[in-house]
Amino acid sequence: MSYLRDDARLIRSHLPPHAWPPHDAEGLFLLYAVLMRAKGEHVTDVDVHDAWAAWTEMRNPDHAALVPFEALDEATQRQDLPYVEAIRAAAGERGVSGAP
């Protein structure tokens, strides 16, 4: 197992049960692992949405939420928060401060 898969697993372990992604989201969590290593505790909801959008673009290019974060309604924006918190928690556990 690679270090990115280890980081992806750690991020997933910090998610609350209500925020579990689809079972086939391994690629998404690899993107989140890269975000964690690059931005650490400075990761934002925009970063998380952009990673999700890149992953979704390959799977479902017609998805209605494939718009910039700022164009999403508040309820949809809030769905990214558990992932932001999980990435930040994993970064803290790994000691990855990252760049703002």
Side-chain angles (χ1 to χ4, degrees):
M1 178 171 306
S2 75
Y3 68 99
L4 288 175
R5 288 192 193 281
D6 284 343
D7 288 345
R9 243 188 227 166
L10 179 61
I11 292 165
R12 191 183 284 260
S13 76
H14 283 283
L15 278 176
H18 74 275
W20 279 95
H23 69 281
D24 61 345
E26 186 173 333
L28 177 60
F29 278 85
L30 288 174
L31 292 171
Y32 289 163
V34 171
L35 272 180
M36 182 192 82
R37 291 185 156 274
K39 300 215 50 190
E41 295 175 333
H42 299 285
V43 72
T44 67
D45 46 6
V46 174
D47 299 326
V48 166
H49 174 72
D50 288 345
W52 172 87
W55 177 73
T56 300
E57 178 73 32
M58 294 182 282
R59 299 167 38 95
N60 181 4
D62 298 321
H63 196 289
L66 284 176
V67 297
F69 182 82
E70 299 78 18
L72 297 169
D73 61 75
E74 282 187 46
T76 304
Q77 287 179 350
R78 280 193 301 271
Q79 291 176 10
D80 289 322
L81 188 57
Y83 296 90
V84 172
E85 292 171 348
I87 293 168
R88 287 177 180 166
E93 195 170 316
R94 287 278 198 256
V96 178
S97 60

